[in-house]
Amino acid sequence: MKYCLTVTCQSRRGIVAAISTFLAEFGCNIIDSSQFDDMETDRFFMRVSFVSEAGADWQTLYDAFDAIAEKFDMQFDFHDEAIRMKVVIMVSRFGHCLNDLLYRWRIGALPIDIVAVISNHTDYQKVVVNHDIPFHHIKVTPENKPDAEARIMEVVEDVDAELVILARYMQILSDDMCQKMSGRIINIHHSFLPSFKGANPYKQAFERGVKLIGATSHYVTADLDEGPIIEQDVVRITHAQSANDYVSLGRDVESRVLGRAIHAHAHHRVFLNGNKSVVFPASPGSYSSRLMG
């Protein structure tokens, strides 16, 4: 059985020794480990991937670790790496991120189960249903927005989703939902930095002659597009590209960045650190999928 342990606490001497000694005593072999001490916030973060060679199960490890957690005042959890994270995808009328995630999910490249797709339009209903995934059309207007969001939360809670993915969902979520789902909603922002805001950022970038465009994936907070950043990437642009080229290249990088952010979150590699995040490298073998050639 393969598990990972995630730990956050105040930085102090002896944490790593205590964790490694605990795992060894329970017959666990560490296969990958990452740690980080933030000297500014005095916080310690650690992710340990290990194999339980003596057969200790999740509950046994969790209960036994409580004494160490109490000593160091830790926030911790054990994760069974065989269990895939339940996610809900929300989308509007741009389908590039949705289609990319459906493909990655289908080949097993992401350790997730897409348990529902929610949209304020019906453009992708057939695509979703053809993947045997429940599709929920929840129309949003200025008049019905509170009721629509209540219906969204009903779907999320009914399917027991651990993560909500905004795959170019073009509606602003309420402060209440952002707070209730803190650290559990990931968005893709169509800009490397929020320099070009509004409905058509690529046109603005084109008119300014930028040489780099990109995307940012982040956790959703009440402050629009200001949540802790998980993943970013860029693509180079020359003077020869048209405004439509900007859009096509931008959508491609959006899909890649969102996929990488979800991969990090689903593998429990992301730790919130105030307004920032700590993102550890992927463990060996975590990018492989069951249908790879």
Side-chain angles (χ1 to χ4, degrees):
M1 293 176 288
K2 188 177 178 182
Y3 300 101
C4 80
L5 166 64
T6 55
V7 168
T8 304
C9 62
Q10 184 176 357
S11 180
R12 55 182 285 194
R13 187 172 60 250
I15 299 172
V16 175
I19 291 173
S20 57
T21 299
F22 169 86
L23 293 174
E25 289 176 348
F26 277 82
C28 300
N29 183 29
I30 296 174
I31 58 176
D32 184 61
S33 179
S34 298
Q35 68 186 73
F36 174 65
D37 276 277
D38 189 330
M39 305 305 290
E40 292 186 359
T41 62
D42 199 30
R43 300 293 292 171
F44 174 85
F45 306 88
M46 189 173 188
R47 180 190 184 277
V48 184
S49 183
F50 62 92
V51 176
S52 177
E53 296 180 336
D57 60 17
W58 179 92
Q59 193 65 56
T60 299
L61 294 168
Y62 188 94
D63 292 342
F65 193 77
D66 197 56
I68 293 176
E70 185 175 353
K71 176 182 178 181
F72 291 96
D73 193 22
M74 291 176 175
Q75 294 176 295
F76 77 97
D77 206 351
F78 286 87
H79 309 275
D80 186 339
E81 296 194 7
I83 298 176
R84 295 188 292 182
M85 184 174 289
K86 293 181 179 180
V87 307
V88 169
I89 298 177
M90 297 176 64
V91 63
S92 290
R93 308 200 88 156
F94 299 111
H96 51 290
C97 289
L98 170 66
N99 282 298
D100 181 77
L101 293 176
L102 289 173
Y103 173 73
R104 294 176 189 268
W105 163 76
R106 191 169 66 245
I107 68 169
L110 288 173
I112 61 173
D113 273 332
I114 303 174
V115 291
V117 173
I118 299 172
S119 181
N120 53 331
H121 300 280
T122 59
D123 300 50
Y124 299 102
Q125 182 171 4
K126 185 175 180 180
V127 171
V128 172
V129 172
N130 285 346
H131 283 79
D132 295 322
I133 299 170
F135 180 88
H136 302 268
H137 175 222
I138 301 178
K139 188 175 181 180
V140 182
T141 66
E143 294 73 28
N144 81 336
K145 194 161 186 174
D147 291 337
E149 196 164 275
R151 289 178 59 198
I152 291 170
M153 285 303 303
E154 283 181 11
V155 173
V156 171
E157 292 168 359
D158 286 347
V159 298
D160 198 24
E162 301 165 77
L163 177 68
V164 172
I165 302 166
L166 305 185
R168 293 305 303 273
Y169 181 69
M170 308 304 286
Q171 294 288 328
I172 298 174
L173 303 180
S174 70
D175 291 358
D176 182 60
M177 183 173 179
C178 292
Q179 293 171 7
K180 187 181 297 184
M181 296 288 292
S182 177
R184 296 172 55 202
I185 307 177
I186 291 178
N187 188 30
I188 185 68
H189 179 62
H190 42 264
S191 177
F192 178 60
L193 296 172
S195 304
F196 304 109
K197 297 184 178 182
N200 203 332
Y202 292 121
K203 182 179 179 183
Q204 298 175 54
F206 171 72
E207 291 173 346
R208 291 288 300 274
V210 303
K211 298 300 184 282
L212 285 174
I213 60 172
T216 300
S217 189
H218 60 90
Y219 289 111
V220 172
T221 62
D223 296 323
L224 182 62
D225 296 326
E226 299 292 340
I229 293 170
I230 307 169
E231 180 64 59
Q232 293 181 291
D233 204 353
V234 295
V235 59
R236 296 203 68 85
I237 300 293
T238 76
H239 62 277
Q241 261 84 59
S242 68
N244 288 335
D245 289 335
Y246 277 56
V247 174
S248 296
L249 291 166
R251 289 180 179 176
D252 180 64
V253 75
E254 287 170 24
S255 299
R256 290 187 279 114
V257 167
L258 182 58
R260 293 205 297 261
I262 294 166
H263 186 279
H265 180 92
H267 279 283
H268 311 288
R269 296 191 284 115
V270 187
F271 296 74
L272 292 177
N273 185 22
N275 294 324
K276 302 186 293 183
S277 67
V278 173
V279 185
F280 287 128
S283 294
S286 64
Y287 284 110
S288 62
S289 64
R290 61 180 179 272
L291 296 180
M292 287 181 67

